[in-house]
Amino acid sequence: MARDLDRQRQFTRRALLLAGGKAGLLAILAGRLYYLQVVDSERYLTLAEDNRINVRLLPPPRGRILDRTGRPLASNRQDYRVVVVAEQTSSVEGTLAALGTLVPISDGDRKRILREIGRQRQFVPITVREDLDWNDVARIEVNSLDLPGISVEEGRSREYPYGPALSHVLGYVGVVSEADLAEGSDPLLELPGFRIGKAGIERSYERVLRGIGGNSQVEVNAVGRVIRELDRTDGEPGDDVTLGLDLDLQQLAIDRIGDESGAVVVLDVETGEVLAMASTPGYDPSAFDRGLSSEEWKFLTTNPKAPLINKSIAGVYAPGSTFKPVVALAALEKGVLDPSATVFCSGAFRLGDAVFHCWRRGGHGSLAMRDALAQSCDCYFYEAARRVGVDRIAEMGHQLGLGAPLGIDLPHERSGLLPTRDWKTATFGTGWSVGETVITGIGQGYVLSTPLQLAVMSARIANGGKAIVPRMVRDLAVAERAGVVKTAINLGISAAHLKVIQDGMNNVVNSARGTAKSAAIHVPGFEMAGKTGTSQVRRISKGERQSGVIKNEHLPWERRDHALFIGYAPVARPRYSCAVVIEHGGAGSKAAAPIARDVLTAAQTLGDKRVVGADKERTPGPRREG
């Protein structure tokens, strides 16, 4: 009996404990429900709204690029693109096959589309083709019932109406890469298909041109599919960028180079604005926006004339005789050569056992500096270089803009090279020889320069020794933001010494014995001064010299000399400087000087017709006697 009573008490205690536990759990559950539904209700309401409403970025229209008269060089064009939504078709491949009968779809595009569909959710539209014309759109719309999952959308493409003529200046836009994402924090970079500047002005002024993105509030369902748009805020379009470049002058320079490979640069000698920067051959910048085919890429990268390189700033050449004004000015500034002192040229210059030849086999006789520049006597400048030394030549070259990047607002500018004794030791571990100084005197050996540097050198000689800095952009506010507007300091070069060089360059073109007399401008008041250059790209053996140097036209293209010319105009009051380089073009007097003549004539003719205010920044220099 007592044992039964104990069991009953034990059962009762356990029942009470179990009931208490259940009551406790119910109380906790009720409290949690109260907390979630009452106390924290605002937070969960917000989360639910966030799941229902998505905010999506809208790309802004990209700013235009204009020439100095306001003509659009790069702009945006509305286009149409066809997209496919995988979940709306039972067979993507079948749909693409049907679409391919209406608009061409390459095998590469087909693989890309299937790859993207595999990575994206099934309701996300995948671009099949861009830049459709009206005929394509019409064919697709008419056959839309047979193309499940296919639709046509509006978009914007970058347009370059002048194609290769401006490709190296403007550059191009392309899709954002992993490297671009690592460099920038703008959420626009993560938009599928968003384009940014990859080269040229498009790249240098990417931030200015890009603009600020807008946003669109859309209602989505549980799996993220858009149901409707609730609100929309358009972004701010990118700013326009106005260049100092003159489209007419640029086109003339391109036309004058023709099928040759080369570069022409024209500068304002007072402001440093680039009025023309031609580099040929070029490429179609729009091709990078739509995507290059493998054949197009192979052609661009294997072409011996290197159409992807902007030769104006990234082509480096031995300057040849266009370097002689640097040597002459260094000799004058250092007091090692009087401008009236003569040097005898017999056709060869001996230094120990070495013989350095003048381009004129019979020699020039006795010449002073002005005539030596006019006739481009090599022996005179061998001697001038020997007297002044390579380090002083390099010092003067740097002052005139050679041997280092000039800081122009374009990417991929190269530095060129002005050798010194220290450079030779650091680079090769050997000492410098006098023979190397002698050959430097005629712009050969280790000396390298870009066409832009040669144009700047000519401008600094023409403007009386002011260190102008070249820039592409005309809008000063934009240029200042890019850090390319700098005060043109005076280099402190003697005006009398500069006058000697200017006289010599005037004689090159406008005297009876000048090497470029056949390229003289005969329009009164438009006369140009300049210096010819012919740069060897091969070594001439002793045997060949004795038997007669093989003429350029009898050599393969890649072994012919480079043709160069630097100049400025008008002689009396310089406004424009110019540099021309024709790769493997032969003699500078024949292949480069006539181009400079036509370009500088056009620059002066067009200069008087430009828009009002085009020259408002100019501070006219003193008029000089020719």
Side-chain angles (χ1 to χ4, degrees):
M1 185 66 180
R3 191 175 180 179
D4 291 341
L5 185 58
D6 286 343
R7 286 182 178 172
Q8 185 175 359
R9 286 175 180 168
Q10 187 178 18
F11 177 78
T12 303
R13 279 198 303 274
R14 290 179 178 176
L16 287 172
L17 286 172
L18 183 61
K22 288 182 176 178
L25 289 174
L26 286 173
I28 292 172
L29 182 60
R32 182 61 181 165
L33 288 173
Y34 176 80
Y35 180 81
L36 293 176
Q37 297 190 10
V38 179
V39 177
D40 215 13
S41 61
E42 286 294 328
R43 174 169 169 257
Y44 286 100
L45 180 63
T46 303
L47 289 175
E49 282 294 302
D50 287 348
N51 286 337
R52 185 178 70 88
I53 299 173
N54 275 357
V55 179
R56 300 189 173 187
L57 275 173
L58 299 175
R62 192 171 178 84
R64 299 176 302 165
I65 302 174
L66 313 171
D67 90 331
R68 65 187 298 122
T69 63
R71 286 173 286 190
L73 307 178
S75 56
N76 304 310
R77 174 171 52 85
Q78 186 183 52
D79 68 359
Y80 296 90
R81 60 194 64 184
V82 59
V83 300
V84 59
V85 178
E87 72 168 9
Q88 294 175 0
T89 176
S90 58
S91 170
V92 173
E93 295 193 35
T95 299
L96 292 177
L99 181 64
T101 62
L102 304 176
V103 293
I105 303 174
S106 68
D107 290 341
D109 280 340
R110 201 181 303 273
K111 292 176 182 175
R112 172 188 59 81
I113 295 162
L114 296 175
R115 189 168 58 247
E116 290 185 21
I117 286 176
R119 288 202 300 253
Q120 301 282 0
R121 287 188 281 186
Q122 295 296 293
F123 58 82
V124 174
I126 303 297
T127 301
V128 177
R129 276 279 314 274
E130 296 179 306
D131 199 21
L132 299 177
D133 60 28
W134 263 114
N135 291 330
D136 294 331
V137 173
R139 280 196 297 272
I140 294 170
E141 294 293 351
V142 167
N143 293 278
S144 60
L145 292 178
D146 299 323
L147 298 169
I150 295 292
S151 60
V152 176
E153 296 182 348
E154 290 184 5
R156 275 192 291 266
S157 295
R158 201 61 165 163
E159 186 174 43
Y160 302 97
Y162 303 100
L166 287 162
S167 55
H168 293 113
V169 171
L170 302 180
Y172 56 89
V173 296
V175 296
V176 180
S177 66
E178 293 294 330
D180 297 325
L181 283 173
E183 291 177 2
S185 58
D186 191 337
L188 282 172
L189 299 182
E190 299 181 21
L191 278 175
F194 188 72
R195 261 79 163 170
I196 63 172
K198 295 288 187 177
I201 292 295
E202 295 278 23
R203 175 171 169 174
S204 295
Y205 290 91
E206 166 61 27
R207 290 287 183 181
V208 178
L209 292 165
R210 185 188 301 173
I212 299 173
N215 61 72
S216 169
Q217 284 190 338
V218 294
E219 185 177 5
V220 297
N221 63 13
V223 294
R225 187 178 307 127
V226 175
I227 299 173
R228 60 185 171 125
E229 186 176 69
L230 303 175
D231 193 18
R232 184 184 186 91
T233 303
D234 291 325
E236 295 181 18
D239 291 334
D240 290 344
V241 170
T242 301
L243 307 183
L245 187 140
D246 185 313
L247 178 59
D248 293 330
L249 194 61
Q250 175 79 5
Q251 192 61 60
L252 173 72
I254 292 287
D255 292 344
R256 285 296 285 111
I257 300 175
D259 295 331
E260 301 285 352
S261 175
V264 173
V265 178
V266 182
L267 299 178
D268 184 311
V269 302
E270 296 292 338
T271 67
E273 281 184 19
V274 176
L275 286 95
M277 179 179 280
S279 175
T280 64
Y283 58 87
D284 179 9
S286 298
F288 287 85
D289 190 17
R290 60 171 163 76
L292 288 170
S293 67
S294 58
E295 291 78 12
E296 288 173 316
W297 180 248
K298 184 178 179 181
F299 173 78
L300 291 173
T301 53
T302 60
N303 189 325
K305 294 185 177 179
L308 289 179
I309 294 177
N310 182 356
K311 299 179 179 70
S312 300
I313 62 170
V316 288
Y317 309 90
S321 294
T322 62
F323 191 66
K324 289 174 179 173
V326 176
V327 180
L329 203 49
L332 292 174
E333 287 288 284
K334 300 303 177 185
V336 300
L337 203 58
D338 185 275
S340 59
T342 59
V343 172
F344 183 76
C345 170
S346 64
F349 178 87
R350 294 187 178 278
L351 184 71
D353 295 333
V355 178
F356 300 86
H357 295 272
C358 183
W359 68 268
R360 188 171 188 177
R361 296 189 66 177
H364 290 91
S366 292
L367 291 172
M369 185 173 285
R370 290 179 177 86
D371 285 339
L373 282 167
Q375 300 182 51
S376 200
C377 174
D378 290 335
C379 288
Y380 183 96
F381 288 96
Y382 292 145
E383 175 61 17
R386 187 191 67 77
R387 293 189 189 184
V388 73
V390 71
D391 290 342
R392 290 173 174 175
I393 292 173
E395 182 183 335
M396 178 54 67
H398 282 299
Q399 283 189 285
L400 295 178
L402 307 179
L406 291 159
I408 191 171
D409 43 346
L410 283 174
H412 309 307
E413 181 190 7
R414 292 185 65 182
S415 65
L417 176 63
L418 283 174
T420 63
R421 294 172 184 274
D422 291 343
W423 169 84
K424 176 78 181 298
T425 303
T427 305
F428 297 105
T430 57
W432 185 268
S433 68
V434 179
E436 289 170 319
T437 299
V438 168
I439 201 71
T440 300
I442 61 167
Q444 295 278 176
Y446 298 111
V447 188
L448 294 172
S449 61
T450 67
L452 177 67
Q453 290 173 339
L454 294 175
V456 168
M457 180 183 85
S458 180
R460 291 182 181 183
I461 292 172
N463 68 19
K466 287 185 287 186
I468 53 113
V469 176
R471 59 182 164 87
M472 299 300 303
V473 168
R474 181 167 176 72
D475 187 322
L476 287 179
V478 175
E480 284 172 356
R481 272 192 278 166
V484 292
V485 178
K486 298 172 184 172
T487 303
I489 61 171
N490 194 306
L491 294 168
I493 301 173
S494 163
H497 293 162
L498 281 169
K499 180 68 167 60
V500 173
I501 305 304
Q502 291 158 358
D503 288 347
M505 292 177 68
N506 183 29
N507 291 342
V508 168
V509 182
N510 299 306
S511 72
R513 294 187 175 182
T515 54
K517 61 180 183 294
S518 62
I521 298 175
H522 297 295
V523 180
F526 279 23
E527 295 86 355
M528 75 170 180
K531 185 69 194 77
T532 53
T534 303
S535 172
Q536 284 183 213
V537 297
R538 68 188 183 95
R539 186 179 181 86
I540 299 175
S541 67
K542 187 176 180 180
E544 180 184 338
R545 192 173 294 280
Q546 289 176 342
S547 61
V549 178
I550 302 172
K551 293 184 177 179
N552 276 289
E553 53 268 32
H554 298 148
L555 292 168
W557 176 79
E558 67 275 8
R559 300 191 68 201
R560 297 175 185 174
D561 298 335
H562 294 320
L564 301 96
F565 186 84
I566 62 169
Y568 61 84
V571 170
R573 184 176 293 170
R575 296 180 62 184
Y576 308 104
S577 72
C578 174
V580 178
V581 176
I582 303 299
E583 288 185 333
H584 309 293
S589 59
K590 294 180 180 177
I595 295 176
R597 173 198 59 204
D598 294 348
V599 170
L600 285 175
T601 302
Q604 296 175 83
T605 305
L606 293 167
D608 297 331
K609 299 178 181 176
R610 293 193 184 105
V611 292
V612 174
D615 295 327
K616 61 185 178 183
E617 298 164 37
R618 177 186 308 284
T619 303
R623 184 179 179 82
R624 296 197 298 266
E625 296 302 322

